[in-house]
Amino acid sequence: MAQSAGSDKWHSGDAYERYMGRWSRQLAPRFLHWLQEPPGRRWLDVGCGTGALSAAILDSCAPRSVIGVDPSEGFLVTAKDRLGTAVALHRAAASELPLPDAAVDVAVSGLVLNFVPDAPAALREMARVTVDGGRVAVYVWDYAEKMDLIRLYWNAAAQLDPASQGQDQGERFPLCRPDALAAAFSSAGLREVAGSAIDLPMHFTDFDDYWRPFLGGQGPAPAHAMSLDEASRERLRSLIRERMPMQPDGTIHLAARAWAARGVVAR
């Protein structure tokens, strides 16, 4: 998932885990339940990151094999620690998968496609390594509307500094909308394209449980937070806290949505 210099760099598996890993692990089984692949399949996890989706495949899909690919060495180290030898891990970009044609039955990608510079090209590469009649499937956060964790951050950041709007994932990543995601699948030559919303509750024990992961600097919003001077970051923190819908006991209940899409490889 490491991309251009700046806010889209992903290199620390531990920091990512504190920020998004816990939610990735909850989202992956919901995606696989929607996908409904039979047992005995050969799986490829593109942009496997710290291994949330690969682990869910092992847990619930009775795979014949699982391969994970990611460009971040730091993420792969964390994935290796968690998955051991159950998943064959490779360092590579989504646009250059280190597999021959028709090497897997299912190619999936979780929370990654937004960060790939040429999404249709990545989908074509996923289709290339998938057997005829196999499926390619992905899911991405709905940054534009239903991802409260990040929407609260960018809405407050934009109020304090309108220039920050250009870094908002909801504006930068058109694939966070279902129509654009489906169009990318069709553009890649995939057939029988279908999509679904996957909803996920996000509960935090208190405001610090929400805020601390932003200080890890992993991903666009945390990188923006850590680029601010201490006084500006504290103003942003205070404004977010002021707007946060806290329960009487101090807990926070937010909502998140991901958009999933799947398509069939037809040569």
Side-chain angles (χ1 to χ4, degrees), residues 3-73:
Q3 295 296 323
S4 59
S7 63
D8 288 348
K9 275 194 174 294
W10 305 89
H11 54 82
S12 170
D14 290 342
Y16 175 84
E17 280 295 303
R18 291 189 291 271
Y19 177 48
M20 280 292 171
R22 52 179 163 172
W23 313 120
S24 299
R25 288 192 297 275
Q26 294 180 43
L27 188 59
R30 289 169 164 83
F31 166 73
L32 295 173
H33 178 75
W34 170 73
L35 193 56
Q36 287 292 304
E37 283 290 329
R41 297 296 204 202
R42 298 168 299 168
W43 290 75
L44 170 65
D45 181 3
V46 176
C48 63
T50 57
L53 181 52
S54 290
I57 292 168
L58 293 172
D59 288 344
S60 63
C61 297
R64 176 178 166 187
S65 61
V66 183
I67 298 170
V69 174
D70 199 276
S72 168
E73 185 64 31

Side-chain angles (χ1 to χ4, degrees), residues 54 66 88 208 218 224 241 246 265:
S54 290
V66 183
D208 282 345
Q218 291 293 288
H224 173 266
R241 184 184 177 93
M246 283 192 255
V265 176

Side-chain angles (χ1 to χ4, degrees), residues 115-243:
F115 297 97
V116 175
D118 189 342
L123 289 169
R124 286 193 294 271
E125 183 69 348
M126 292 172 71
R128 177 188 67 78
V129 303
T130 303
V131 297
D132 189 26
R135 289 204 289 189
V136 171
V138 309
Y139 54 100
V140 296
W141 288 121
D142 181 4
Y143 289 120
E145 295 183 11
K146 200 64 174 177
M147 179 48 164
D148 292 349
L149 183 155
I150 294 175
R151 283 265 48 84
L152 283 162
Y153 180 93
W154 287 119
N155 289 346
Q159 179 174 325
L160 295 176
D161 178 14
S164 69
Q165 290 180 341
Q167 301 179 57
D168 185 334
Q169 292 109 294
E171 299 176 11
R172 291 174 53 210
F173 301 143
L175 286 183
C176 68
R177 296 171 174 83
D179 291 348
L181 190 58
F185 267 63
S186 296
S187 176
L190 293 158
R191 303 289 182 262
E192 301 177 35
V193 177
S196 177
I198 304 175
D199 291 320
L200 180 73
M202 289 184 169
H203 294 170
F204 301 86
T205 56
D206 53 26
F207 183 76
D208 282 345
D209 188 28
Y210 167 88
W211 178 250
R212 277 195 308 270
F214 286 93
L215 305 182
Q218 291 293 288
H224 173 266
M226 297 311 295
S227 74
L228 301 173
D229 60 68
E230 188 172 349
S232 297
R233 187 161 56 248
E234 180 56 32
R235 284 195 295 272
L236 177 58
R237 178 186 181 278
S238 296
L239 180 57
I240 296 172
R241 184 184 177 93
E242 178 184 316
R243 295 178 169 183

